[in-house]
Amino acid sequence: MLYQKYDKFVKFIEIFDQMSKDLKIGRLTNHEKDILLSLHKNSKNNQVDIRNIVFKNFDGQSIPKSSLYKGLKNLCNKNIINHLGSQRSSIYELK
């Protein structure tokens, strides 16, 4: 029974990897996934102000600011999100 659960999980990872290839974004780091999930949960009309979010990782611990900004930059470079406004703006848009 446990084997079947892991088998399904592995197939899910394969599907996720194929989708990442199709979207030409490559694999997301754990921080990038956690950040993207938080952005998506807190978005209104595909836009979000990051000042209003407490970013937490999978284990519920706060994501360090340096990792947060690096993750946001990487998500922008992968064309998953857009940074709106000036360089100091805290508004992002989900594509």
Side-chain angles (χ1 to χ4, degrees):
M1 176 104 164
L2 188 60
Y3 173 79
Q4 290 174 338
K5 288 183 180 182
Y6 282 117
D7 187 52
K8 289 180 182 179
F9 183 71
V10 169
K11 287 180 183 178
F12 177 73
I13 292 170
E14 289 174 342
I15 292 168
F16 185 76
D17 281 349
Q18 187 58 50
M19 291 175 71
S20 295
K21 278 184 183 178
D22 293 345
L23 293 170
K24 296 178 173 83
I25 60 174
R27 280 194 169 166
L28 299 178
T29 66
N30 287 337
H31 281 307
E32 290 170 347
K33 287 186 266 186
D34 294 333
I35 293 165
L36 184 58
L37 287 170
S38 292
L39 291 172
H40 186 267
K41 287 178 187 176
N42 291 281
S43 70
K44 294 179 182 133
N45 298 325
N46 292 341
Q47 291 187 0
V48 62
D49 186 340
I50 63 168
R51 293 177 296 182
N52 302 326
I53 302 174
V54 177
F55 289 91
K56 302 224 179 246
N57 66 17
F58 181 76
D59 297 322
Q61 297 177 348
S62 293
I63 296 174
K65 291 283 187 195
S66 61
S67 298
L68 171 63
Y69 291 117
K70 181 179 179 183
L72 288 167
K73 182 178 179 183
N74 289 341
L75 291 170
C76 286
N77 290 340
K78 292 178 180 185
N79 292 316
I80 298 172
I81 62 173
N82 285 326
H83 182 222
L84 302 178
S86 69
Q87 185 178 6
R88 305 287 263 163
S89 169
S90 61
I91 308 293
Y92 286 83
E93 176 183 53
L94 294 139
K95 289 191 174 188

Coordinates of all heavy atoms in Angstrom, one line a residue:
M1 N 0.8 -1.2 0.0 CA 0.0 0.0 0.0 C 0.9 1.3 0.0 O 0.6 2.2 -0.7 CB -0.9 0.0 1.2 CG -1.7 1.2 1.4 SD -3.4 0.9 0.9 CE -4.2 2.2 1.5
L2 N 1.9 1.3 0.8 CA 2.8 2.4 0.9 C 3.5 2.6 -0.5 O 3.6 3.8 -0.9 CB 3.8 2.3 2.0 CG 4.7 3.5 2.3 CD1 3.9 4.6 2.7 CD2 5.7 3.1 3.4
Y3 N 3.9 1.5 -1.1 CA 4.5 1.6 -2.4 C 3.6 2.4 -3.4 O 4.0 3.2 -4.2 CB 4.8 0.2 -3.0 CG 5.3 0.3 -4.4 CD1 6.7 0.7 -4.7 CD2 4.5 0.0 -5.5 CE1 7.1 0.7 -6.0 CE2 5.0 0.1 -6.8 CZ 6.3 0.4 -7.0 OH 6.7 0.5 -8.3
Q4 N 2.3 2.1 -3.4 CA 1.3 2.7 -4.3 C 1.3 4.2 -4.1 O 1.1 5.0 -5.0 CB -0.1 2.1 -4.1 CG -0.1 0.7 -4.7 CD -1.5 0.0 -4.3 OE1 -2.2 0.4 -3.4 NE2 -1.8 -1.0 -5.1
K5 N 1.3 4.6 -2.8 CA 1.3 6.1 -2.5 C 2.5 6.8 -3.0 O 2.4 7.8 -3.6 CB 1.2 6.3 -1.0 CG -0.2 5.9 -0.4 CD -0.3 6.3 1.0 CE -1.7 5.9 1.6 NZ -1.8 6.2 3.0
Y6 N 3.7 6.1 -2.8 CA 4.9 6.7 -3.4 C 4.9 6.7 -4.9 O 5.4 7.6 -5.5 CB 6.2 6.0 -2.8 CG 6.5 6.4 -1.4 CD1 6.5 5.5 -0.4 CD2 6.8 7.7 -1.1 CE1 6.8 5.9 0.9 CE2 7.1 8.1 0.2 CZ 7.1 7.2 1.2 OH 7.4 7.6 2.5
D7 N 4.4 5.7 -5.5 CA 4.3 5.6 -6.9 C 3.5 6.7 -7.5 O 3.9 7.4 -8.4 CB 3.7 4.2 -7.3 CG 3.7 4.0 -8.8 OD1 4.8 4.1 -9.4 OD2 2.7 3.7 -9.4
K8 N 2.4 7.0 -6.9 CA 1.5 8.1 -7.3 C 2.3 9.5 -7.1 O 2.2 10.4 -7.9 CB 0.2 8.2 -6.5 CG -0.7 7.1 -6.9 CD -2.0 7.1 -6.2 CE -2.9 6.0 -6.6 NZ -4.2 6.0 -5.8
F9 N 3.0 9.6 -6.0 CA 3.7 10.8 -5.7 C 4.8 11.0 -6.7 O 5.0 12.1 -7.2 CB 4.3 10.7 -4.3 CG 5.0 11.9 -3.9 CD1 4.4 13.1 -3.6 CD2 6.4 11.9 -3.7 CE1 5.0 14.3 -3.2 CE2 7.1 13.1 -3.4 CZ 6.4 14.2 -3.1
V10 N 5.5 10.0 -7.1 CA 6.6 10.1 -8.1 C 6.0 10.5 -9.5 O 6.5 11.3 -10.2 CB 7.4 8.7 -8.2 CG1 8.3 8.7 -9.4 CG2 8.2 8.5 -6.9
K11 N 4.8 9.9 -9.8 CA 4.2 10.3 -11.1 C 3.8 11.7 -11.0 O 3.9 12.4 -12.1 CB 3.0 9.4 -11.3 CG 3.4 8.0 -11.7 CD 2.2 7.1 -12.0 CE 2.7 5.7 -12.3 NZ 1.7 4.8 -12.5
F12 N 3.3 12.2 -9.9 CA 3.0 13.7 -9.8 C 4.2 14.5 -10.0 O 4.1 15.6 -10.7 CB 2.4 13.9 -8.4 CG 2.1 15.4 -8.1 CD1 1.0 16.0 -8.8 CD2 2.9 16.1 -7.3 CE1 0.7 17.3 -8.6 CE2 2.6 17.5 -7.1 CZ 1.5 18.1 -7.7
I13 N 5.4 14.1 -9.4 CA 6.6 14.9 -9.6 C 7.0 14.9 -11.1 O 7.4 15.9 -11.7 CB 7.7 14.3 -8.8 CG1 7.5 14.5 -7.3 CG2 9.1 14.9 -9.2 CD1 8.4 13.8 -6.4
E14 N 6.8 13.8 -11.8 CA 7.1 13.7 -13.2 C 6.2 14.7 -14.0 O 6.6 15.3 -14.9 CB 6.9 12.3 -13.8 CG 8.0 11.3 -13.3 CD 7.7 9.9 -13.7 OE1 6.5 9.5 -14.0 OE2 8.7 9.1 -13.7
I15 N 4.9 14.7 -13.7 CA 4.0 15.6 -14.3 C 4.3 17.0 -14.1 O 4.4 17.9 -15.0 CB 2.5 15.3 -13.9 CG1 2.0 14.0 -14.4 CG2 1.6 16.4 -14.3 CD1 0.7 13.5 -13.7
F16 N 4.7 17.4 -12.8 CA 5.1 18.7 -12.5 C 6.4 19.1 -13.3 O 6.4 20.2 -13.8 CB 5.3 18.8 -11.0 CG 5.6 20.2 -10.5 CD1 4.6 21.2 -10.4 CD2 6.9 20.6 -10.2 CE1 4.9 22.4 -10.0 CE2 7.2 21.9 -9.8 CZ 6.2 22.8 -9.7
D17 N 7.3 18.2 -13.4 CA 8.6 18.5 -14.1 C 8.3 18.7 -15.6 O 8.8 19.6 -16.2 CB 9.6 17.4 -13.9 CG 10.3 17.4 -12.6 OD1 10.2 18.4 -11.9 OD2 11.0 16.4 -12.3
Q18 N 7.4 17.9 -16.2 CA 7.0 18.1 -17.6 C 6.3 19.5 -17.8 O 6.6 20.2 -18.8 CB 6.1 17.0 -18.1 CG 5.9 17.0 -19.6 CD 7.1 17.0 -20.4 OE1 8.0 16.1 -20.2 NE2 7.3 17.9 -21.3
M19 N 5.4 19.8 -16.9 CA 4.8 21.1 -17.0 C 5.8 22.3 -16.9 O 5.7 23.2 -17.6 CB 3.7 21.3 -15.9 CG 2.5 20.4 -16.1 SD 1.3 20.5 -14.7 CE 0.7 22.1 -14.9
S20 N 6.7 22.1 -16.0 CA 7.8 23.1 -15.9 C 8.6 23.3 -17.1 O 9.0 24.4 -17.6 CB 8.7 22.8 -14.7 OG 8.0 22.8 -13.5
K21 N 8.9 22.1 -17.8 CA 9.6 22.2 -19.1 C 8.7 22.8 -20.1 O 9.2 23.7 -20.9 CB 9.9 20.7 -19.6 CG 11.1 20.2 -18.9 CD 11.4 18.8 -19.6 CE 12.6 18.2 -18.9 NZ 12.9 16.8 -19.5
D22 N 7.4 22.5 -20.2 CA 6.5 23.1 -21.2 C 6.4 24.6 -21.0 O 6.3 25.3 -22.0 CB 5.1 22.4 -21.1 CG 5.1 21.0 -21.5 OD1 6.1 20.5 -22.1 OD2 4.1 20.3 -21.2
L23 N 6.5 25.0 -19.8 CA 6.4 26.5 -19.5 C 7.7 27.2 -19.6 O 7.8 28.4 -19.5 CB 5.8 26.7 -18.1 CG 4.3 26.3 -17.9 CD1 3.9 26.4 -16.5 CD2 3.4 27.2 -18.8
K24 N 8.8 26.4 -19.8 CA 10.2 26.9 -19.9 C 10.6 27.6 -18.6 O 11.2 28.7 -18.7 CB 10.3 27.7 -21.1 CG 10.1 26.9 -22.4 CD 10.3 27.8 -23.6 CE 10.2 27.0 -24.9 NZ 9.0 26.6 -25.4
I25 N 10.2 27.1 -17.5 CA 10.6 27.8 -16.2 C 11.6 27.0 -15.4 O 12.2 27.5 -14.4 CB 9.4 28.1 -15.3 CG1 8.7 26.8 -14.9 CG2 8.5 29.1 -16.0 CD1 7.5 27.1 -13.9
G26 N 11.9 25.7 -15.8 CA 12.8 24.9 -15.0 C 12.2 24.5 -13.7 O 11.0 24.8 -13.4
R27 N 13.0 23.9 -12.9 CA 12.5 23.5 -11.5 C 12.5 24.7 -10.6 O 13.5 25.5 -10.6 CB 13.4 22.5 -10.9 CG 13.1 21.1 -11.5 CD 13.7 20.0 -10.6 NE 13.2 18.7 -11.0 CZ 13.7 17.6 -10.6 NH1 14.8 17.6 -9.9 NH2 13.1 16.5 -11.0
L28 N 11.5 24.8 -9.8 CA 11.5 25.9 -8.8 C 12.2 25.4 -7.5 O 12.0 24.2 -7.1 CB 10.0 26.3 -8.5 CG 9.2 26.8 -9.6 CD1 7.8 27.1 -9.1 CD2 9.8 28.1 -10.2
T29 N 12.9 26.3 -6.8 CA 13.4 26.0 -5.5 C 12.3 25.9 -4.5 O 11.2 26.3 -4.7 CB 14.5 27.0 -5.1 OG1 13.8 28.2 -4.8 CG2 15.6 27.2 -6.1
N30 N 12.6 25.3 -3.3 CA 11.6 25.3 -2.3 C 11.1 26.6 -1.9 O 9.9 26.9 -1.7 CB 12.1 24.5 -1.1 CG 12.3 23.0 -1.3 OD1 11.6 22.5 -2.2 ND2 13.1 22.4 -0.6
H31 N 12.0 27.6 -1.8 CA 11.6 29.0 -1.4 C 10.8 29.6 -2.5 O 9.8 30.2 -2.2 CB 12.8 29.9 -1.2 CG 13.5 29.7 0.2 ND1 12.8 29.8 1.3 CD2 14.7 29.5 0.5 CE1 13.6 29.6 2.4 NE2 14.8 29.4 1.9
E32 N 11.1 29.3 -3.8 CA 10.3 29.9 -4.9 C 8.9 29.3 -4.8 O 7.9 30.0 -5.0 CB 10.9 29.6 -6.2 CG 12.2 30.4 -6.5 CD 13.0 29.9 -7.7 OE1 12.7 28.8 -8.2 OE2 13.9 30.6 -8.1
K33 N 8.7 28.0 -4.5 CA 7.4 27.4 -4.4 C 6.6 28.0 -3.3 O 5.5 28.3 -3.4 CB 7.5 25.9 -4.3 CG 8.0 25.2 -5.5 CD 7.9 23.7 -5.3 CE 9.3 23.2 -4.9 NZ 9.4 21.7 -4.9
D34 N 7.3 28.1 -2.1 CA 6.6 28.7 -1.0 C 6.2 30.1 -1.2 O 5.1 30.5 -0.8 CB 7.5 28.6 0.3 CG 7.9 27.2 0.7 OD1 7.1 26.3 0.5 OD2 9.0 27.0 1.3
I35 N 7.0 30.9 -1.8 CA 6.7 32.3 -2.1 C 5.6 32.4 -3.1 O 4.6 33.1 -2.9 CB 8.0 33.0 -2.7 CG1 9.0 33.2 -1.6 CG2 7.6 34.4 -3.3 CD1 10.4 33.5 -2.1
L36 N 5.6 31.6 -4.2 CA 4.5 31.6 -5.2 C 3.2 31.2 -4.6 O 2.2 31.8 -4.9 CB 4.9 30.7 -6.4 CG 4.0 30.6 -7.5 CD1 3.8 32.0 -8.1 CD2 4.5 29.6 -8.6
L37 N 3.2 30.2 -3.7 CA 2.0 29.8 -3.1 C 1.4 30.9 -2.2 O 0.2 31.2 -2.2 CB 2.2 28.5 -2.2 CG 2.4 27.2 -2.9 CD1 2.9 26.1 -2.0 CD2 1.2 26.8 -3.6
S38 N 2.3 31.6 -1.5 CA 1.8 32.7 -0.6 C 1.3 33.9 -1.5 O 0.2 34.5 -1.2 CB 2.9 33.3 0.2 OG 3.3 32.3 1.2
L39 N 1.9 34.2 -2.6 CA 1.5 35.2 -3.5 C 0.1 34.8 -4.1 O -0.8 35.7 -4.1 CB 2.5 35.4 -4.6 CG 3.8 36.1 -4.3 CD1 4.7 36.0 -5.5 CD2 3.6 37.5 -3.8
H40 N 0.0 33.6 -4.5 CA -1.3 33.2 -5.1 C -2.5 33.2 -4.1 O -3.6 33.7 -4.4 CB -1.2 31.8 -5.6 CG -2.4 31.3 -6.4 ND1 -3.4 30.6 -5.8 CD2 -2.7 31.5 -7.7 CE1 -4.3 30.4 -6.7 NE2 -3.9 30.9 -7.9
K41 N -2.2 32.8 -2.8 CA -3.2 32.8 -1.8 C -3.7 34.2 -1.4 O -4.8 34.4 -1.0 CB -2.7 32.1 -0.6 CG -2.6 30.6 -0.7 CD -2.1 30.0 0.6 CE -1.8 28.5 0.4 NZ -1.2 27.9 1.6
N42 N -2.8 35.2 -1.6 CA -3.1 36.5 -1.1 C -3.4 37.5 -2.3 O -3.5 38.7 -2.0 CB -1.9 37.1 -0.3 CG -1.8 36.3 1.0 OD1 -2.5 36.6 2.0 ND2 -0.9 35.4 1.1
S43 N -3.5 37.0 -3.5 CA -3.7 37.9 -4.6 C -5.1 38.3 -4.8 O -6.0 37.6 -4.4 CB -3.2 37.3 -5.9 OG -4.0 36.2 -6.3
K44 N -5.3 39.5 -5.2 CA -6.6 40.1 -5.6 C -6.5 40.6 -7.0 O -5.7 41.5 -7.3 CB -7.0 41.2 -4.6 CG -7.2 40.7 -3.2 CD -7.6 41.8 -2.3 CE -7.8 41.2 -0.9 NZ -7.1 41.9 0.1
N45 N -7.3 40.1 -7.9 CA -7.2 40.5 -9.3 C -5.7 40.3 -9.9 O -5.2 41.1 -10.6 CB -7.6 41.9 -9.5 CG -9.0 42.2 -9.1 OD1 -9.9 41.3 -9.3 ND2 -9.3 43.3 -8.6
N46 N -5.1 39.2 -9.4 CA -3.8 38.8 -9.8 C -2.7 39.7 -9.3 O -1.6 39.7 -9.8 CB -3.7 38.6 -11.4 CG -4.4 37.4 -11.8 OD1 -4.7 36.5 -11.1 ND2 -4.7 37.4 -13.1
Q47 N -3.0 40.7 -8.4 CA -2.0 41.6 -7.9 C -1.9 41.4 -6.4 O -2.9 41.0 -5.7 CB -2.3 43.0 -8.2 CG -2.2 43.3 -9.7 CD -2.3 44.8 -10.0 OE1 -2.6 45.6 -9.1 NE2 -2.2 45.2 -11.2
V48 N -0.7 41.6 -5.8 CA -0.5 41.4 -4.4 C 0.5 42.4 -3.9 O 1.5 42.7 -4.6 CB -0.1 39.9 -4.1 CG1 1.2 39.6 -4.8 CG2 -0.1 39.7 -2.6
D49 N 0.3 42.9 -2.7 CA 1.2 43.8 -2.0 C 2.0 42.9 -1.0 O 1.4 42.4 -0.1 CB 0.5 44.9 -1.3 CG 1.4 45.9 -0.7 OD1 2.6 45.6 -0.5 OD2 1.0 47.1 -0.5
I50 N 3.3 42.7 -1.2 CA 4.0 41.8 -0.3 C 4.1 42.3 1.1 O 4.5 41.5 2.0 CB 5.4 41.4 -0.9 CG1 6.3 42.6 -1.0 CG2 5.2 40.7 -2.3 CD1 7.7 42.3 -1.3
R51 N 3.9 43.6 1.3 CA 3.9 44.1 2.7 C 2.9 43.5 3.6 O 3.0 43.5 4.8 CB 3.8 45.6 2.7 CG 4.9 46.3 2.1 CD 4.7 47.8 2.0 NE 3.5 48.1 1.2 CZ 3.0 49.3 0.9 NH1 3.6 50.3 1.4 NH2 2.0 49.4 0.1
N52 N 1.8 43.0 3.0 CA 0.7 42.4 3.7 C 0.8 40.9 3.9 O -0.2 40.3 4.4 CB -0.6 42.7 3.0 CG -0.8 44.2 2.8 OD1 -0.4 45.0 3.6 ND2 -1.4 44.6 1.7
I53 N 1.9 40.3 3.6 CA 2.1 38.8 3.7 C 3.2 38.5 4.6 O 4.2 39.1 4.6 CB 2.4 38.3 2.3 CG1 1.3 38.6 1.3 CG2 2.5 36.7 2.3 CD1 1.6 38.2 -0.2
V54 N 2.9 37.5 5.4 CA 4.0 36.9 6.2 C 4.4 35.6 5.5 O 3.6 34.6 5.4 CB 3.5 36.5 7.7 CG1 4.6 35.8 8.4 CG2 3.0 37.8 8.4
F55 N 5.5 35.6 4.8 CA 6.0 34.5 4.0 C 6.5 33.4 4.9 O 7.5 33.6 5.7 CB 7.0 34.9 3.0 CG 6.4 35.8 1.9 CD1 6.4 37.2 2.0 CD2 5.9 35.2 0.8 CE1 5.8 37.9 1.0 CE2 5.4 36.0 -0.3 CZ 5.3 37.3 -0.1
K56 N 6.0 32.2 4.8 CA 6.4 31.1 5.6 C 6.8 29.9 4.7 O 6.2 29.8 3.6 CB 5.3 30.6 6.5 CG 4.9 31.7 7.5 CD 4.7 31.2 8.8 CE 4.3 32.3 9.8 NZ 5.3 32.6 10.8
N57 N 7.7 29.1 5.1 CA 8.1 28.0 4.3 C 7.2 26.8 4.6 O 6.3 26.9 5.4 CB 9.6 27.6 4.5 CG 9.9 27.1 5.9 OD1 9.0 26.8 6.7 ND2 11.2 27.2 6.3
F58 N 7.5 25.6 4.0 CA 6.7 24.4 4.1 C 6.5 24.0 5.6 O 5.5 23.5 6.0 CB 7.4 23.3 3.3 CG 6.6 22.0 3.4 CD1 5.5 21.8 2.6 CD2 7.1 21.0 4.1 CE1 4.8 20.6 2.6 CE2 6.4 19.7 4.2 CZ 5.3 19.6 3.4
D59 N 7.6 24.3 6.4 CA 7.5 23.9 7.8 C 6.9 24.9 8.7 O 6.9 24.8 9.9 CB 9.0 23.6 8.3 CG 9.6 22.4 7.6 OD1 8.8 21.4 7.3 OD2 10.8 22.4 7.3
G60 N 6.5 26.0 8.1 CA 5.8 27.1 8.9 C 6.8 28.1 9.5 O 6.3 29.0 10.3
Q61 N 8.0 28.1 9.1 CA 9.0 29.0 9.6 C 9.1 30.2 8.6 O 8.9 30.0 7.4 CB 10.4 28.4 9.8 CG 10.4 27.3 10.8 CD 11.7 26.6 10.9 OE1 12.6 26.8 10.1 NE2 11.9 25.8 12.0
S62 N 9.4 31.4 9.1 CA 9.5 32.6 8.3 C 10.6 32.4 7.3 O 11.7 31.9 7.6 CB 9.7 33.8 9.1 OG 8.6 34.1 9.9
I63 N 10.3 32.9 6.1 CA 11.4 32.9 5.0 C 12.2 34.2 5.3 O 11.7 35.3 5.4 CB 10.8 32.9 3.6 CG1 10.0 31.6 3.4 CG2 11.8 33.1 2.6 CD1 9.2 31.6 2.1
P64 N 13.6 34.0 5.4 CA 14.4 35.2 5.5 C 14.2 36.2 4.4 O 14.0 35.8 3.3 CB 15.8 34.6 5.5 CG 15.7 33.2 5.8 CD 14.3 32.8 5.3
K65 N 14.3 37.5 4.7 CA 14.1 38.6 3.7 C 15.0 38.4 2.5 O 14.6 38.6 1.4 CB 14.3 39.9 4.4 CG 13.3 40.3 5.4 CD 12.1 40.8 4.7 CE 11.1 41.3 5.8 NZ 9.8 41.5 5.3
S66 N 16.3 38.0 2.8 CA 17.2 37.9 1.6 C 16.7 36.8 0.7 O 16.8 36.9 -0.5 CB 18.6 37.6 2.1 OG 18.7 36.4 2.9
S67 N 16.2 35.7 1.3 CA 15.7 34.6 0.4 C 14.4 35.0 -0.3 O 14.2 34.6 -1.4 CB 15.5 33.3 1.3 OG 16.7 32.9 1.9
L68 N 13.6 35.8 0.4 CA 12.3 36.2 -0.2 C 12.6 37.1 -1.4 O 12.1 36.8 -2.5 CB 11.6 37.1 0.9 CG 10.3 37.8 0.3 CD1 9.3 36.8 -0.2 CD2 9.7 38.7 1.4
Y69 N 13.5 38.1 -1.3 CA 13.8 39.0 -2.4 C 14.5 38.2 -3.5 O 14.2 38.5 -4.7 CB 14.5 40.2 -2.0 CG 13.7 41.1 -1.1 CD1 14.0 41.3 0.2 CD2 12.5 41.6 -1.6 CE1 13.1 42.1 1.0 CE2 11.7 42.4 -0.8 CZ 12.0 42.7 0.5 OH 11.2 43.4 1.3
K70 N 15.4 37.3 -3.2 CA 16.0 36.5 -4.2 C 15.0 35.6 -5.0 O 15.0 35.5 -6.2 CB 17.1 35.6 -3.6 CG 17.8 34.8 -4.6 CD 18.9 33.9 -4.0 CE 19.6 33.1 -5.0 NZ 20.6 32.2 -4.3
G71 N 14.1 35.0 -4.2 CA 13.0 34.2 -4.8 C 12.1 35.0 -5.7 O 11.7 34.6 -6.8
L72 N 11.7 36.2 -5.2 CA 10.9 37.1 -6.0 C 11.6 37.5 -7.3 O 10.9 37.5 -8.4 CB 10.5 38.4 -5.3 CG 9.5 38.2 -4.1 CD1 9.5 39.5 -3.2 CD2 8.1 37.9 -4.6
K73 N 12.8 37.8 -7.3 CA 13.6 38.1 -8.5 C 13.7 37.0 -9.4 O 13.5 37.1 -10.6 CB 15.0 38.6 -8.1 CG 15.9 39.0 -9.2 CD 17.2 39.5 -8.8 CE 18.1 39.9 -10.0 NZ 19.4 40.2 -9.6
N74 N 13.9 35.8 -8.9 CA 13.9 34.6 -9.8 C 12.6 34.3 -10.4 O 12.5 33.9 -11.6 CB 14.4 33.3 -8.9 CG 15.9 33.4 -8.6 OD1 16.6 34.1 -9.2 ND2 16.2 32.6 -7.6
L75 N 11.5 34.5 -9.6 CA 10.2 34.3 -10.2 C 9.9 35.3 -11.3 O 9.2 35.0 -12.3 CB 9.1 34.3 -9.1 CG 9.1 33.1 -8.1 CD1 8.2 33.4 -7.0 CD2 8.7 31.8 -8.8
C76 N 10.4 36.5 -11.1 CA 10.3 37.5 -12.2 C 11.1 37.1 -13.4 O 10.6 37.2 -14.6 CB 10.7 38.9 -11.7 SG 9.6 39.7 -10.6
N77 N 12.3 36.7 -13.2 CA 13.2 36.3 -14.3 C 12.6 35.1 -15.1 O 12.8 34.9 -16.3 CB 14.6 35.9 -13.8 CG 15.3 37.1 -13.4 OD1 15.0 38.3 -13.7 ND2 16.3 36.9 -12.5
K78 N 11.8 34.2 -14.4 CA 11.2 33.1 -15.0 C 9.8 33.4 -15.6 O 9.1 32.6 -16.1 CB 11.0 31.9 -14.0 CG 12.4 31.3 -13.6 CD 12.2 30.3 -12.5 CE 13.6 29.7 -12.1 NZ 13.5 28.6 -11.2
N79 N 9.5 34.7 -15.6 CA 8.2 35.2 -16.1 C 7.0 34.6 -15.5 O 6.0 34.3 -16.2 CB 8.2 35.1 -17.7 CG 9.2 36.0 -18.3 OD1 9.3 37.2 -18.0 ND2 9.9 35.5 -19.3
I80 N 7.0 34.3 -14.2 CA 5.9 33.7 -13.5 C 5.1 34.9 -12.9 O 3.9 34.9 -12.7 CB 6.3 32.7 -12.5 CG1 7.0 31.5 -13.2 CG2 5.2 32.2 -11.6 CD1 7.7 30.5 -12.2
I81 N 5.9 35.9 -12.4 CA 5.3 37.1 -11.8 C 5.9 38.3 -12.4 O 7.0 38.2 -13.1 CB 5.5 37.1 -10.3 CG1 6.9 37.2 -9.9 CG2 4.7 36.0 -9.6 CD1 7.2 37.4 -8.4
N82 N 5.3 39.5 -12.3 CA 5.8 40.8 -12.7 C 5.9 41.7 -11.5 O 5.1 41.7 -10.6 CB 4.9 41.5 -13.7 CG 5.0 40.9 -15.0 OD1 6.0 40.4 -15.5 ND2 3.8 40.9 -15.7
H83 N 7.0 42.5 -11.4 CA 7.2 43.5 -10.4 C 6.6 44.8 -11.0 O 7.0 45.2 -12.0 CB 8.6 43.6 -10.0 CG 8.9 44.6 -8.9 ND1 9.9 45.5 -9.0 CD2 8.2 44.8 -7.8 CE1 9.9 46.2 -7.9 NE2 8.9 45.9 -7.1
L84 N 5.6 45.3 -10.3 CA 4.9 46.5 -10.8 C 5.5 47.8 -10.1 O 5.8 47.8 -8.9 CB 3.4 46.4 -10.6 CG 2.7 45.2 -11.2 CD1 1.3 45.2 -10.9 CD2 2.9 45.2 -12.7
G85 N 5.5 48.9 -10.9 CA 5.9 50.1 -10.3 C 7.4 50.3 -10.3 O 8.2 49.7 -11.0
S86 N 7.9 51.2 -9.3 CA 9.3 51.5 -9.2 C 10.0 50.3 -8.6 O 9.5 49.3 -8.1 CB 9.5 52.7 -8.4 OG 9.1 52.4 -7.0
Q87 N 11.4 50.5 -8.5 CA 12.2 49.4 -8.0 C 11.9 49.1 -6.5 O 12.0 48.0 -6.1 CB 13.7 49.9 -8.1 CG 14.7 48.8 -7.7 CD 16.1 49.2 -7.9 OE1 16.4 50.4 -8.3 NE2 17.0 48.3 -7.7
R88 N 11.4 50.1 -5.8 CA 11.1 50.0 -4.4 C 9.7 49.6 -4.1 O 9.2 49.4 -3.0 CB 11.4 51.3 -3.7 CG 12.8 51.9 -3.8 CD 13.8 51.1 -3.1 NE 14.1 51.8 -1.8 CZ 14.7 51.1 -0.8 NH1 15.1 49.9 -1.0 NH2 15.0 51.7 0.3
S89 N 8.9 49.4 -5.2 CA 7.5 49.0 -5.1 C 7.3 47.6 -4.5 O 8.2 46.8 -4.7 CB 6.8 49.1 -6.4 OG 5.5 48.5 -6.4
S90 N 6.3 47.4 -3.7 CA 6.0 46.1 -3.1 C 4.9 45.4 -3.8 O 4.3 44.4 -3.3 CB 5.7 46.3 -1.6 OG 4.6 47.1 -1.5
I91 N 4.5 45.9 -5.0 CA 3.4 45.3 -5.7 C 3.9 44.3 -6.8 O 4.7 44.7 -7.6 CB 2.5 46.4 -6.4 CG1 2.1 47.4 -5.3 CG2 1.3 45.7 -7.0 CD1 1.2 47.0 -4.2
Y92 N 3.3 43.1 -6.8 CA 3.6 42.1 -7.8 C 2.4 41.6 -8.4 O 1.3 41.7 -7.9 CB 4.4 40.9 -7.1 CG 5.8 41.3 -6.8 CD1 6.1 42.0 -5.6 CD2 6.8 41.0 -7.6 CE1 7.4 42.3 -5.3 CE2 8.2 41.3 -7.3 CZ 8.4 42.0 -6.1 OH 9.7 42.3 -5.8
E93 N 2.5 41.1 -9.6 CA 1.4 40.6 -10.4 C 1.7 39.2 -10.8 O 2.8 38.9 -11.3 CB 1.2 41.5 -11.7 CG 0.1 41.0 -12.6 CD 0.0 41.9 -13.8 OE1 1.1 42.1 -14.5 OE2 -1.1 42.3 -14.1
L94 N 0.7 38.3 -10.6 CA 0.8 36.9 -11.1 C 0.4 36.9 -12.6 O -0.6 37.5 -12.9 CB -0.1 36.0 -10.3 CG 0.3 35.9 -8.8 CD1 -0.9 35.9 -7.9 CD2 1.1 34.6 -8.6
K95 N 1.2 36.2 -13.3 CA 0.8 36.1 -14.8 C -0.2 35.1 -15.0 O -0.4 34.2 -14.3 CB 2.1 35.8 -15.6 CG 3.0 37.0 -15.6 CD 4.1 36.7 -16.7 CE 4.9 38.0 -16.8 NZ 5.8 37.9 -17.9

